[in-house]
């Protein structure tokens, strides 16, 4: 969280009470992100902000890079996210390498290459649909035409995202024809929806870039006045309270029952465009609550290759 | 009598149709109207141009109905009949293609799926336009010389159109349903106005160094504004929280926070949640008070008896004291 965000949270809790803006919970030490320095059959070494760290494997350790891979297939220079076993920061339980996400509206298509606009002034993403995964992608995203939404998880390859699996199901209408949310009469302090993830560092220099390690969330109902830059969001299909960067969200993963308080650090314009369901752990409410950074998402029990989980957000009663 | 009514019915149609066409064009011009009605039958990139073209055609016909006379007026009237007749056909096609689609007749207000009411209305308007063909005066002239018969005919027709319009329910629902404050896009200027009218602002005016806030942010129902301030030679942050909507008495809160230590110096404007006892408005008359005390089982000494008063209940300046004296006097 930035200094400005920290100050805002402090002042909010001073005026409205501590429950209105709870203190963010730090990311659990068992989640690590860094760059592979060396990998052998028994262990691998990562460059992290703490320096070089070594991690051992178990038989049950899984490695994902667009699909299941072997430990020896990790290459030096790979950006990886590691979730260690419950015991601590030594034995890797799950490892994701070069994982990338392409979320946004399709602006151009050339053969098996798409150009996406992720919204909020972020750079456009080039997505490649390899032949071996294109069938799986098109089942969930049948309309790969400009104007339609796209959301898939894949890996970084030469500055482009090679899509490996669809994250959620594509809405059947183009973005411009999205139905408006009907007016909400009563406001509830708990909101059920889905939580996804995004990577503010775009897979580059994750051991040096503070954005790659930052805990936080991009929020789709960001107030226009308290945000630097343009947040080209729409009215989300969930009744989300309007907040600014610096606010904190109390989230619970409904699948694993993990809870965390994460600070709002960015605008999630694309989350306000989607009104989708997460197939993981049963289907519940449609609509996106927030996009967590990769480390926050994994710390809250999410699986990066699945791309989402069902969650409940609690907003404190702000009447003080 | 009957020919007069018939003539009034014919004369009322042109201004009424013009008004409806202008309303429809204005509603279609808003960006929310995209993706409804006839626009659904064309590719995505042509939807906005088609909606705007319909909008312009409606404005042109409305102006023609109001101003033109003679053969030119009849051409416009025939085109109006054609517009409504074609729209009935288009609506039938749209309904077959997408049963959930709205007609888009009044832009974003016409989101309800196309049903018999919408189709009947379009047919009725086509018939109404057909009755104006061959009429002498233009729509403006008819509207500027109204009679009682015109008024009655117009009222009946508006009632009929109201019954056939699903948009009225949407208008009513939008007008009556206010979104909760946490979801409402409040205007920052309105919040600033509310802040500057508040007692809390006037109280802290001397502390603040600038009129413009250093930082502004939103937290659900509250908009926060932070100002620079100086108090007894120490830099402070003056933080205001202005409520979006809601009752006025909970409108504005503030906190003075020492910048160096982060200590809260003072808070203003928070409304207590305790039930505070208000000041007595009016004392009851002695006879009423006696009756009330009796009803509540706190009856005082009856005439001619020296009953014991419960201690502390006297409330007459000597709680507990007088009863002993009275007892003593009785013994």
């Amino acid at each position: 969280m930035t200094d400005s965000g920290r100050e805002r949270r402090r002042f909010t809790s001073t005026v409205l009470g501590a429950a209105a803006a709870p203190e963010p919970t730090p990311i659990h030490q068992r989640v690590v992100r860094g760059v592979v320095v060396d990998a052998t059959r028994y262990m691998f070494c990562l460059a992290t902000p703490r320096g070089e760290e070594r991690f051992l494997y178990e038989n049950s350790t899984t490695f994902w890079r667009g699909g299941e891979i072997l430990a020896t297939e990790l290459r030096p220079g790979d950006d990886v996210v590691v979730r260690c076993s419950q015991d601590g920061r030594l034995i890797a339980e799950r490892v994701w390498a070069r994982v990338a996400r392409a979320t946004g509206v399709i602006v151009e298509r050339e053969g098996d290459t798409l150009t996406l606009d992720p919204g909020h002034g972020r750079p456009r993403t080039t997505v490649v649909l390899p032949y071996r995964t294109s069938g799986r992608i098109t089942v969930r995203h049948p309309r790969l035409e400009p104007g339609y939404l796209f959301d898939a998880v894949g890996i970084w390859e030469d500055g482009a995202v090679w899509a490996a699996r669809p994250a959620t199901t594509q809405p059947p209408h183009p973005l411009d024809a999205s139905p408006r949310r009907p007016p909400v009469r009563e406001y509830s302090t708990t909101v059920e929806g889905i939580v996804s993830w995004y990577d503010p560092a775009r897979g580059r220099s994750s051991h040096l870039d503070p954005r790659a390690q930052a805990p936080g969330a991009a929020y789709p109902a960001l107030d226009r006045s308290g945000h630097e830059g343009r947040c080209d969001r729409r009215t989300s299909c969930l009744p989300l309270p309007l907040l600014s960067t610096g606010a904190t969200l109390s989230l619970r993963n409904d699948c694993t029952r993990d809870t965390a308080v994460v600070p709002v650090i960015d605008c999630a314009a694309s989350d306000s465009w989607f009104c989708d369901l997460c197939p993981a752990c049963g289907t519940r409410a449609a609509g996106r609550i927030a996009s967590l950074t990769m480390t926050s998402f994994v710390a809250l029990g999410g699986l990066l290759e699945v791309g989402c989980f069902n969650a409940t957000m609690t907003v404190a009663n702000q009447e003080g | 009598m009957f020919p007069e009514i018939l003539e009034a019915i014919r004369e009322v149609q042109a201004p009424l149709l013009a008004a409806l066409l202008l309303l429809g064009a204005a509603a279609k011009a808003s960006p929310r109207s995209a993706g409804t009605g006839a626009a659904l039958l064309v590719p995505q990139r042509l939807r906005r141009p088609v909606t705007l073209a319909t909008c312009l055609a409606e404005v042109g016909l409305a102006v023609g109905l109001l101003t033109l006379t003679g053969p030119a007026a009849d051409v416009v009237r025939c085109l109006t009949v054609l517009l409504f007749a074609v729209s009935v056909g288009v609506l039938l096609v749209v309904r077959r293609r997408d049963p959930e689609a709205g007609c888009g007749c009044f832009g974003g207000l016409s989101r309800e799926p196309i049903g018999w009411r919408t189709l009947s209305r379009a047919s009725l308007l086509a018939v109404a336009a057909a009755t104006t063909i061959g009429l002498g005066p233009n729509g403006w002239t008819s509207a500027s010389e109204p009679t009682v018969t015109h008024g009655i005919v117009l009222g009946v027709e508006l009632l009929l159109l109201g019954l056939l319009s699903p948009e009225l329910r949407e208008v009513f629902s939008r007008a009556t349903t206010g979104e909760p404050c946490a979801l409402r896009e409040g205007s920052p200027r309105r919040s600033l106005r509310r802040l500057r009218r508040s007692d809390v602002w006037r109280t802290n005016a001397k502390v603040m160094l600038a009129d413009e806030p250093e930082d502004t942010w939103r937290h659900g129902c509250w908009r926060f504004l932070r100002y620079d301030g100086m108090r007894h030679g120490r830099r402070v942050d003056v933080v205001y929280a202005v409520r979006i909507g809601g009752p006025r008495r909970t409108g504005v809160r503030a906190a003075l926070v020492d910048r160096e230590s982060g200590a809260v110096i003072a808070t203003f404007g928070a409304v207590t949640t305790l039930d505070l006892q208000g000041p007595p408005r009016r004392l009851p008359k002695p006879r009423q008070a006696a009756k009330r005390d009796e009803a509540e089982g706190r009856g005082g000494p009856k005439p001619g008896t020296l009953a014991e008063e419960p201690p502390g209940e006297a409330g007459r300046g000597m709680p507990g004291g007088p009863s002993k004296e009275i007892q003593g006097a009785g013994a």
Side-chain angles (χ1 to χ4, degrees):
Chain A
M1 191 160 42
T2 59
D3 286 346
S4 151
R6 236 173 261 124
E7 292 283 288
R8 284 178 177 181
R9 196 201 67 74
R10 186 165 63 89
F11 291 135
T12 305
S13 67
T14 301
V15 178
L16 296 183
E23 184 81 29
T25 45
I27 289 180
H28 199 279
Q29 61 159 358
R30 60 190 278 242
V31 180
V32 189
R33 187 173 179 190
V35 175
V36 176
V37 177
D38 189 21
T40 67
R41 285 176 57 200
Y42 309 103
M43 56 170 280
F44 65 96
C45 181
L46 283 190
T48 68
R50 293 188 187 185
E52 286 194 7
E53 293 188 67
R54 286 172 174 74
F55 298 91
L56 304 175
Y57 313 139
E58 279 180 331
N59 287 337
S60 58
T61 305
T62 56
F63 297 84
W64 193 89
R65 194 176 62 204
E68 295 268 329
I69 57 166
L70 296 172
T72 48
E73 289 179 72
L74 283 178
R75 291 188 302 221
D78 278 356
D79 164 43
V80 297
V81 179
V82 183
R83 191 176 78 194
C84 296
S85 61
Q86 298 284 356
D87 304 336
R89 206 174 160 103
L90 181 65
I91 299 167
E93 190 180 69
R94 271 182 180 269
V95 181
W96 294 272
R98 297 216 313 262
V99 62
R101 184 161 192 160
T103 309
V105 61
I106 302 169
V107 288
E108 200 181 335
R109 182 180 181 179
E110 269 188 40
D112 59 355
T113 306
L114 305 174
T115 307
L116 297 189
D117 178 9
H120 186 43
R122 292 191 186 123
R124 290 188 169 181
T125 315
T126 307
V127 184
V128 179
L129 304 173
Y131 177 73
R132 68 177 184 282
T133 60
S134 59
R136 194 176 183 187
I137 300 277
T138 47
V139 167
R140 295 275 207 91
H141 291 76
R143 297 202 170 182
L144 299 174
E145 299 164 24
Y148 283 83
L149 292 168
F150 184 84
D151 188 11
V153 179
I155 55 165
W156 287 108
E157 194 80 63
D158 301 327
V161 178
W162 286 55
R165 54 180 289 171
T168 56
T169 306
Q170 188 183 41
H173 40 70
L175 179 60
D176 290 340
S178 305
R180 277 173 59 80
R181 181 187 71 199
V184 178
R185 284 171 197 278
E186 285 184 12
Y187 174 65
S188 167
T189 52
T190 55
V191 183
E192 287 184 353
I194 72 172
V195 163
S196 61
W197 63 266
Y198 81 115
D199 181 12
R202 293 172 63 84
R204 293 193 202 110
S205 311
S206 59
H207 60 307
L208 299 174
D209 193 338
R211 292 175 304 170
Q213 310 285 341
Y219 188 63
L222 214 57
D223 187 60
R224 295 178 207 282
S225 63
H227 180 62
E228 289 171 12
R230 196 169 60 92
C231 180
D232 51 348
R233 65 173 172 86
R234 296 178 166 223
T235 305
S236 171
C237 72
L238 284 173
L240 295 172
L242 290 166
L243 300 172
S244 294
T245 50
T248 47
L249 313 174
S250 298
L251 291 173
R252 187 189 74 163
N253 183 336
D254 291 339
C255 304
T256 62
R257 296 181 186 275
D258 288 322
T259 57
V261 178
V262 288
V264 174
I265 57 170
D266 207 348
C267 162
S270 59
D271 280 359
S272 66
W273 303 343
F274 283 91
C275 191
D276 47 1
L277 294 161
C278 184
C281 197
T283 51
R284 296 183 66 187
R288 297 190 176 189
I289 296 174
S291 282
L292 300 180
T293 57
M294 287 166 100
T295 43
S296 286
F297 185 83
V298 173
L300 203 48
L303 300 174
L304 292 176
E305 75 273 25
V306 174
C308 60
F309 58 78
N310 290 302
T312 305
M313 179 176 78
T314 309
V315 185
N317 180 14
Q318 293 144 4
E319 296 303 320
Chain B
M1 185 69 187
F2 186 71
E4 274 180 30
I5 294 174
L6 204 62
E7 195 64 17
I9 289 174
R10 291 184 71 198
E11 284 174 1
V12 158
Q13 303 311 320
L16 179 64
L17 287 169
L20 289 175
L21 286 169
L22 286 175
L23 277 176
K28 284 187 186 81
S30 82
R32 287 179 188 175
S33 70
T36 53
L40 284 174
L41 300 176
V42 296
Q44 179 66 30
R45 66 177 192 287
L46 294 177
R47 284 184 184 174
R48 192 71 193 145
V50 164
T51 309
L52 287 177
T54 318
C55 177
L56 286 175
E58 286 179 353
V59 171
L61 289 176
V63 172
L65 284 172
L66 284 175
T67 56
L68 295 178
T69 51
D74 280 343
V75 171
V76 169
R77 288 162 187 168
C78 286
L79 286 174
T80 311
V81 177
L82 195 67
L83 176 82
F84 286 115
V86 167
S87 65
V88 174
V90 168
L91 290 177
L92 283 170
V93 176
V94 171
R95 188 167 77 154
R96 190 176 296 169
R97 187 161 163 178
D98 184 357
E100 293 294 313
C103 77
C105 315
F106 289 94
L109 288 175
S110 309
R111 295 254 172 215
E112 197 163 297
I114 299 164
W116 67 268
R117 290 202 295 169
T118 313
L119 293 167
S120 311
R121 184 179 61 187
S123 313
L124 180 75
L125 292 176
V127 173
T131 59
T132 59
I133 296 171
L135 200 67
N138 61 26
W140 187 255
T141 315
S142 306
S144 54
E145 295 163 3
T147 62
V148 178
T149 321
H150 284 109
I152 293 169
V153 168
L154 187 65
V156 170
E157 195 168 347
L158 283 177
L159 190 68
L160 188 61
L161 285 172
L163 290 173
L164 295 175
S165 298
E167 291 84 2
L168 286 182
R169 199 167 68 178
E170 177 75 19
V171 170
F172 182 74
S173 138
R174 284 192 191 180
T176 54
T177 310
E179 289 222 307
C181 58
L183 277 59
R184 206 181 307 158
E185 305 267 1
S187 142
R189 288 175 66 185
R190 187 177 292 177
S191 299
L192 202 60
R193 223 168 28 238
R194 190 169 197 176
L195 170 64
R196 291 196 172 159
R197 281 179 191 161
S198 67
D199 295 344
V200 176
W201 171 269
R202 284 194 289 275
T203 309
N204 292 302
K206 290 176 193 163
V207 181
M208 289 185 300
L209 293 176
D211 272 355
E212 292 305 311
E214 294 289 308
D215 192 12
T216 313
W217 70 97
R218 173 87 182 255
H219 193 89
C221 289
W222 298 88
R223 187 179 299 285
F224 284 79
L225 300 101
R226 181 176 67 80
Y227 289 80
D228 254 350
M230 182 75 83
R231 186 175 179 273
H232 301 315
R234 289 178 71 89
R235 294 297 291 270
V236 290
D237 287 307
V238 188
V239 183
Y240 293 102
V242 184
R243 202 171 188 283
I244 310 283
R248 277 179 176 272
R249 68 195 189 94
T250 55
V252 180
R253 297 182 189 184
L256 253 65
V257 183
D258 190 277
R259 187 166 291 178
E260 202 175 313
S261 65
V264 180
I265 299 166
T267 55
F268 304 87
V271 176
T272 178
T273 53
L274 299 172
D275 287 331
L276 295 178
Q277 197 176 10
R281 285 176 191 155
R282 191 165 62 90
L283 288 172
K285 287 177 183 172
R287 189 171 290 176
Q288 284 175 345
K291 275 185 184 172
R292 196 185 61 190
D293 284 356
E294 202 173 342
E296 291 175 4
R298 292 189 293 157
K302 286 177 184 169
T305 61
L306 295 170
E308 191 182 350
E309 262 193 14
E313 282 283 295
R316 288 162 180 87
M318 293 185 294
S323 61
K324 283 179 187 171
E325 287 175 22
I326 290 166
Q327 274 180 341

